[in-house]
């Protein structure tokens, strides 16, 4: 995944200054670690406005170590997870020779967004054991999606349907070679955020790997929400629906009266 060189140099320069200002590692305060990941997000709050067309989160960091760089290859994986949301899934059924939609099944634990960026294909850089332990790959996240007990035999089918639906909308995706790694020390990636984001707290995780095993991790939250007039409208609609309805009727009446007045004034 190519990145503008100027932007990468600027971000690395900022992060180097950040590292220089950090206090020295004190083994008496923290348990000793061979390597530790230190990361930073370009933004921890995303504001949704009327003309919001998507955004991106730039995640950059470095590896702090007390010893020489080990010989085993190092890799970095970054994930961004959105809050859970309810999804209605219908399975097509053949009835009387015609394909129709069956009853709707609501899935309440599907992440609204799941993005994975890494320095290489996950099957090559991540062990199956650590993938199960940390739930990193999209397949493992899908397995966590719960479904009604009466769907036990078809649970995997509905989970796959949720995955395909979100992937089609650009909400579930994996970017192999999406993390730039320099000298086994500095890393950088940019995760795109689509326009139809769900409000809530998003989780950004960074995993540091050696020899296909996770040796350290970092996690931060990103708050996504509406601001300004859009936030007022949303609060009225969901928390004071009666007031919202009255205001909508008044606005419609005023707009209709103003429109008719303008047309009467323009009429010959």
């Amino acid at each position: 995944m190519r990145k503008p060189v100027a932007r990468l140099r600027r971000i690395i320069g900022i992060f180097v200054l950040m590292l220089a200002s950090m206090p020295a590692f004190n083994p008496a305060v923290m348990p000793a670690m061979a390597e530790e990941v230190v990361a930073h997000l370009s933004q921890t709050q995303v504001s949704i406005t009327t003309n919001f067309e998507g955004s991106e989160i730039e995640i950059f960091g470095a590896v702090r170590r007390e010893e020489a760089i080990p010989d085993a290859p190092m890799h970095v994986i970054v994930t961004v997870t959105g809050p859970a949301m309810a999804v209605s899934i219908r399975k097509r059924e053949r009835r009387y020779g015609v394909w129709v939609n069956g009853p709707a099944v609501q899935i309440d634990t599907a992440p609204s967004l799941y993005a994975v960026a890494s320095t290489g294909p996950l099957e090559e850089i991540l062990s199956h054991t650590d993938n199960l332990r940390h739930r990193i790959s999209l397949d493992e996240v899908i397995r966590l999606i719960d479904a009604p007990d009466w769907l036990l035999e078809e649970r995997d089918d509905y989970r796959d349907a949720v995955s395909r639906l979100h992937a089609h909308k650009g909400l579930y995706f994996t970017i192999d070679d999406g993390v730039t790694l320099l000298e086994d020390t500095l890393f950088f990636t940019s995760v795109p955020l689509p326009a139809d984001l769900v409000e809530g707290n998003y989780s950004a995780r960074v995993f540091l790997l050696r020899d296909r095993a996770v040796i350290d991790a970092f996690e931060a939250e990103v708050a996504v929400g509406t601001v300004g007039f859009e936030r007022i409208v949303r609060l009225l609609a969901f928390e004071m629906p009666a007031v919202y309805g009255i205001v909508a009727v008044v606005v419609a009446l005023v707009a209709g009266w103003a429109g008719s007045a303008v047309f009467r004034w323009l009429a010959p």
Side-chain angles (χ1 to χ4, degrees):
M1 185 176 182
R2 297 183 178 179
K3 298 292 185 295
V5 177
R7 184 175 65 173
L8 181 58
R9 290 178 177 175
R10 173 176 59 85
I11 291 176
I12 291 175
I14 294 174
F15 197 79
V16 169
L17 293 177
M18 290 175 56
L19 288 179
S21 64
M22 291 177 61
F25 177 74
N26 186 356
V29 178
M30 299 177 59
M33 297 181 64
E35 293 178 299
E36 180 183 5
V37 59
V38 182
H40 182 75
L41 278 63
S42 61
Q43 56 180 341
T44 57
Q45 184 171 359
V46 177
S47 300
I48 301 177
T49 59
T50 304
N51 57 353
F52 181 76
E53 297 180 353
S55 183
E56 64 178 4
I57 300 178
E58 295 178 345
I59 303 172
F60 51 93
V63 180
R64 183 166 54 186
R65 55 175 65 92
E66 297 293 327
E67 301 176 354
I69 299 177
D71 294 332
M74 188 182 83
H75 288 282
V76 176
I77 300 175
V78 176
T79 68
V80 176
T81 309
M85 63 178 297
V87 182
S88 293
I89 301 295
R90 294 179 181 271
K91 186 176 181 180
R92 293 184 63 83
E93 300 176 352
R94 190 175 181 86
R95 297 180 181 177
Y96 308 107
V98 180
W99 287 99
V100 297
N101 289 328
V105 176
Q106 182 168 300
I107 308 295
D108 297 322
T109 57
S112 57
L113 173 75
Y114 194 74
V116 183
S118 59
T119 51
L122 295 185
E123 61 271 13
E124 297 180 5
I125 67 175
L126 177 65
S127 68
H128 179 66
T129 300
D130 276 37
N131 188 21
L132 290 175
R133 179 180 296 115
H134 299 281
R135 302 292 184 182
I136 297 176
S137 71
L138 180 56
D139 291 339
E140 292 303 321
V141 173
I142 297 302
R143 290 192 181 96
L144 289 178
I145 296 177
D146 197 9
D149 293 336
W150 58 272
L151 284 177
L152 183 60
E153 296 182 357
E154 299 179 314
R155 184 169 296 178
D156 290 340
D157 294 336
Y158 279 89
R159 287 170 176 168
D160 292 341
V162 171
S163 178
R164 291 194 303 270
L165 178 65
H166 284 71
H168 180 71
K169 295 180 179 180
L171 299 174
Y172 288 178
F173 56 90
T174 300
I175 310 174
D176 293 336
D177 299 323
V179 178
T180 301
L181 179 62
L182 300 176
E183 302 296 332
D184 274 7
T185 301
L186 304 175
F187 62 86
F188 168 81
T189 188
S190 178
V191 178
L193 300 177
D196 52 343
L197 289 178
V198 175
E199 288 190 88
N201 292 326
Y202 288 62
S203 173
R205 299 184 298 168
V206 179
F207 297 96
L208 185 66
L209 299 92
R210 286 279 186 191
D211 198 19
R212 305 184 71 222
V214 175
I215 59 175
D216 194 27
F218 167 90
E219 184 171 359
E221 284 192 352
V222 178
V224 176
T226 55
V227 294
F229 180 73
E230 293 81 5
R231 181 169 182 80
I232 296 175
V233 173
R234 179 178 177 84
L235 289 176
L236 285 176
F238 286 92
E239 297 185 9
M240 292 183 287
V243 176
Y244 176 80
I246 295 173
V247 172
V249 171
V250 172
V251 171
L253 292 174
V254 172
W257 174 84
S260 63
V262 170
F263 279 110
R264 284 197 304 267
W265 181 72
L266 293 176

